[in-house]
Amino acid sequence: KKKKKKKKNNNNNNNNDYDDDLLDYEKIEFVQENCTECDIEEYDESMDILSYQFQHSKTGVPVSHKKYRLKLYPSIFVGHEAVTWMVGRLQISREEAVEKGIAIQKSGLFSHCVDNNKLFGDNNLYYRFSKHDISNRITPEEIFEINDGNKITVNIQGFKGCPFCRRCIEAAEAIEEENPNDFEQISIEHDNRLLFNESLKEVKNLLKENSKSSAFHTSSPIVYVHVKDIDEFFYIGGLDHMIIFLTNYPPLKNSKALKKYKIESPVSTFFKGIPTIAKNWKSTLPF
């Protein structure tokens, strides 16, 4: 068995300045595949190309859910995996990759998932993109208070052939059947991914006032809440975010349906959804 050597992180944690040149790397090209994150109108020209590609949902640093000491950390990436991504993409050393990572971190693109003061490094620590940080989103308790304890309306948009969309809709339908006085769902399952992508532009406009830094993906469901009393919409996230949100929504805390549809591995959801993919495989094509 090969022993893995632990690498020391020699970063100066007291240095609050960073070199803007570290973020300028012209050799990276934009993703050509149809994706809402690549829309010309959505791309912020003030953002450097490396930061843009670093957080791209399809070709960027791999994001996943991880467990540590029985606690689940959703939508995170691991330090050494991000370093490996930069080394492969930019053809630089791991030390140089760490420097670039710190520069990107200090620009506000991501932070350590627990300690905002902890700098990026070539390590096993967990980091989270700002766009995935749900701490700034509205909480279940706030929705309950704003909604005056009335029935909550959850909107879901997805597309046929997407196992995550199907599971999300099935969970919402089960919750609605069990709790008709406290919960209602409005689901739209588009015939294919292209129609879903088109709908995302409308959803973004609908949510942009209350959800400015949210991540909208083209391969998973979009879930948001409509508070009818004030006629405002609030972004919740995807499948797992919906489960977490509703589990903490006061009237639904003892829901048996929520316990049945608890968070599981994306790989598990994918394999369970193979029949859905096989039945609607043409709908999943990005063209």
Side-chain angles (χ1 to χ4, degrees):
K1 294 183 180 179
K2 295 181 179 179
K3 292 183 179 179
K4 293 183 178 179
K5 294 182 180 180
K6 292 184 178 180
K7 296 188 176 182
K8 293 182 180 179
N9 186 357
N10 296 320
N11 299 320
N12 183 2
N13 290 354
N14 296 320
N15 184 10
N16 293 322
D17 298 324
Y18 64 96
D19 187 354
D20 289 333
D21 290 339
L22 290 174
L23 303 182
D24 185 17
Y25 203 86
E26 298 178 353
K27 291 183 179 180
I28 302 179
E29 297 179 354
F30 283 105
V31 176
Q32 296 302 314
E33 184 179 354
N34 183 23
C35 170
T36 53
E37 290 188 19
C38 296
D39 286 345
I40 270 293
E41 71 226 22
E42 299 296 337
Y43 174 63
D44 181 359
E45 292 183 357
S46 66
M47 182 184 292
D48 63 276
I49 186 70
L50 177 54
S51 294
Y52 181 79
Q53 287 291 340
F54 190 83
Q55 66 170 337
H56 198 280
S57 64
K58 292 178 185 244
T59 60
V61 173
V63 173
S64 61
H65 305 326
K66 299 282 188 183
K67 271 189 177 180
Y68 179 69
R69 293 182 179 175
L70 301 180
K71 182 176 179 180
L72 179 68
Y73 293 88
S75 303
I76 59 91
F77 64 88
V78 184
H80 71 83
E81 292 180 357
V83 169
T84 300
W85 181 90
M86 284 188 282
V87 168
R89 181 61 66 92
L90 307 179
Q91 298 298 301
I92 57 177
S93 69
R94 299 190 75 84
E95 290 74 18
E96 290 173 314
V98 169
E99 289 181 8
K100 288 183 180 292
I102 292 174
I104 295 173
Q105 179 186 20
K106 288 184 175 180
S107 72
L109 195 74
F110 69 89
S111 62
H112 185 265
C113 66
V114 176
D115 184 359
N116 288 334
N117 296 316
K118 198 174 289 276
L119 286 182
F120 175 77
D122 190 1
N123 50 39
N124 290 320
L125 299 183
Y126 296 164
Y127 302 89
R128 182 177 289 120
F129 289 120
S130 298
K131 67 178 185 177
H132 289 150
D133 184 4
I134 63 173
S135 63
N136 294 323
R137 297 179 196 171
I138 196 164
T139 67
E141 293 77 13
E142 288 172 335
I143 285 287
F144 182 72
E145 186 175 341
I146 294 172
N147 207 28
D148 247 356
N150 295 322
K151 182 188 293 187
I152 186 175
T153 303
V154 170
N155 295 262
I156 302 169
Q157 293 214 29
F159 62 94
K160 292 179 180 178
C162 168
F164 303 97
C165 302
R166 182 92 294 271
R167 182 174 174 82
C168 190
I169 293 172
E170 287 176 356
E173 290 173 343
I175 297 166
E176 182 180 42
E177 184 178 352
E178 181 191 43
N179 306 275
N181 296 324
D182 298 311
F183 179 87
E184 69 175 350
Q185 57 87 27
I186 300 174
S187 301
I188 300 176
E189 194 170 22
H190 297 278
D191 286 336
N192 55 60
R193 181 181 284 191
L194 286 178
L195 292 175
F196 175 60
N197 289 352
E198 286 298 317
S199 74
L200 286 186
K201 295 177 182 179
E202 297 178 11
V203 174
K204 284 182 180 183
N205 289 328
L206 196 67
L207 300 175
K208 64 182 180 182
E209 185 174 340
N210 294 316
S211 311
K212 294 179 181 178
S213 62
S214 301
F216 297 84
H217 299 301
T218 58
S219 56
S220 59
I222 299 298
V223 183
Y224 52 99
V225 172
H226 182 201
V227 180
K228 294 181 179 179
D229 286 351
I230 58 176
D231 195 26
E232 287 194 24
F233 297 85
F234 298 90
Y235 179 61
I236 301 303
L239 167 62
D240 290 347
H241 292 136
M242 182 189 79
I243 299 299
I244 294 171
F245 182 91
L246 295 179
T247 299
N248 290 286
Y249 187 66
L252 302 177
K253 283 190 174 181
N254 297 317
S255 169
K256 292 180 180 178
L258 273 170
K259 291 179 181 177
K260 177 183 176 181
Y261 286 93
K262 62 184 180 181
I263 292 178
E264 63 181 13
S265 162
V267 175
S268 177
T269 301
F270 177 82
F271 277 108
K272 287 180 182 177
I274 286 179
T276 299
I277 299 172
K279 184 179 178 180
N280 303 280
W281 66 271
K282 287 185 178 180
S283 300
T284 64
L285 300 176
F287 50 81

